[in-house]
């Protein structure tokens, strides 16, 4: 899910709200993956600890090709290191929060610490090969996001999964579509699937906890 750091998420997707509502909804583990940034993960980790939740730290990268890739890490500190790398690779794009939405960095008490100047949903200067390599160099796991969607997705941008770009898993917004994509030759057989609520609003957290986790990804990170 996204926190209020992502401009596309609502302001009430605060660290404490996310953790508290996820706990009430019956979650045991959550992944927070803001766009091209990890700055809210320290607060989210504190809130998860308070509510007895496990956190899978991550970042949703928008590559130079405009492909979204989920990058998961073992620790918040590693995700923050990766986020600093991404921020340096973001363009100095004119950013108006009234147009794009606010980008709020918060503490564990949901107090605003600062805002972020660069537009976080922009494309970094790193291509998908570079993003995957940088993620794995930090011990992370890269997973192409919502691959069946019509935009910001590996299949809609490239049309296929290159043989020299192996992934252990892909994320599907609708996991039931995997078989059809394999039958069409768009994805290889044997890939594990992550599916998620992709929550941007509080009602998404409460009503859409249907995530399916790829076992190999979790074994490597938790």
């Amino acid at each position: 899910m996204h926190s209020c750091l992502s401009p596309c998420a609502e302001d009430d997707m605060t660290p404490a709200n996310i953790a508290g509502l996820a706990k009430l909804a019956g979650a045991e583990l959550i992944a927070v993956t803001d766009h091209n940034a990890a700055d809210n993960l320290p607060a989210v980790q504190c809130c998860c600890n308070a509510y007895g939740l496990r956190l899978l730290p991550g970042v949703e990268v928008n590559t130079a090709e405009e492909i979204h890739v989920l990058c998961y890490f073992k620790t918040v500190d590693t995700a923050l290191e990766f986020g600093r790398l991404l921020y340096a690779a973001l363009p100095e794009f004119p950013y108006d929060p009234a147009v794009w939405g606010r980008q709020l960095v918060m503490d564990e008490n949901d107090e605003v610490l600062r805002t972020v100047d660069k537009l976080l949903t922009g494309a970094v200067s790193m291509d998908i090969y570079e993003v995957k390599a940088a993620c794995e160099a930090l011990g992370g796991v890269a997973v192409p996001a919502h691959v069946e969607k019509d935009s910001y997705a590996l299949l809609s941008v490239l049309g296929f999964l290159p043989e020299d770009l192996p992934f252990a898993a892909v994320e599907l917004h609708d996991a039931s579509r995997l078989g059809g994509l394999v039958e069409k030759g768009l994805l290889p057989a044997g890939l594990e699937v992550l599916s998620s609520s992709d929550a941007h609003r509080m009602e998404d957290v409460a009503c859409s906890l249907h995530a399916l986790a790829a076992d190999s990804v979790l074994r490597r990170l938790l």
Side-chain angles (χ1 to χ4, degrees):
M1 64 186 77
H2 299 284
S3 81
C4 54
L5 176 58
S6 294
C8 53
E10 294 187 350
D11 285 357
D12 60 0
M13 289 290 283
T14 64
N17 281 347
I18 288 171
L21 192 53
K23 180 67 173 182
L24 288 173
E28 297 178 0
L29 179 147
I30 62 172
V32 173
T33 55
D34 282 310
H35 289 289
N36 292 327
D39 301 67
N40 269 349
L41 290 179
V44 173
Q45 182 68 78
C46 288
C47 295
C48 283
N49 292 344
Y51 283 107
L53 290 171
R54 299 189 74 178
L55 173 66
L56 181 60
V59 180
E60 184 170 358
V61 184
N62 187 17
T63 72
E65 305 94 339
E66 301 269 10
I67 298 171
H68 285 185
V69 178
L70 294 161
C71 294
Y72 297 108
F73 299 94
K74 292 183 179 180
T75 68
V76 168
D77 285 343
T78 307
L80 287 169
E81 182 178 351
F82 186 66
R84 289 190 288 269
L85 176 69
L86 296 174
Y87 195 76
L90 272 173
E92 298 287 347
F93 189 82
Y95 166 60
D96 183 354
V99 174
W100 298 99
R102 297 200 293 172
Q103 301 179 150
L104 304 176
V105 179
M106 290 191 164
D107 65 15
E108 63 272 21
N109 298 312
D110 288 351
E111 298 290 338
V112 177
L113 298 176
R114 59 185 174 87
T115 59
V116 176
D117 295 330
K118 292 183 181 180
L119 178 63
L120 293 175
T121 50
V124 298
S125 59
M126 304 160 63
D127 64 30
I128 190 170
Y129 290 87
E130 293 171 305
V131 167
K132 181 174 183 290
C135 172
E136 292 173 351
L138 291 170
V141 176
V143 178
H146 45 69
V147 296
E148 84 277 31
K149 287 193 173 182
D150 293 332
S151 60
Y152 300 110
L154 186 146
L155 295 181
S156 66
V157 174
L158 299 183
F160 65 104
L161 176 59
E163 291 184 2
D164 63 345
L165 193 63
F167 291 97
V170 295
E171 187 210 38
L172 291 167
H173 191 70
D174 179 1
S176 67
R177 294 189 60 184
L178 178 63
L181 295 172
V182 172
E183 288 179 6
K184 293 177 182 178
L186 297 175
L187 292 175
L191 279 177
E192 292 192 29
V193 173
L194 288 167
S195 69
S196 78
S197 63
D198 193 22
H200 291 73
R201 304 172 300 166
M202 293 306 295
E203 51 263 45
D204 298 333
V205 180
C207 301
S208 303
L209 288 175
H210 61 270
L212 301 174
D215 288 342
S216 66
V217 173
L218 294 183
R219 282 199 302 270
R220 289 157 65 178
L221 294 170
L222 298 175

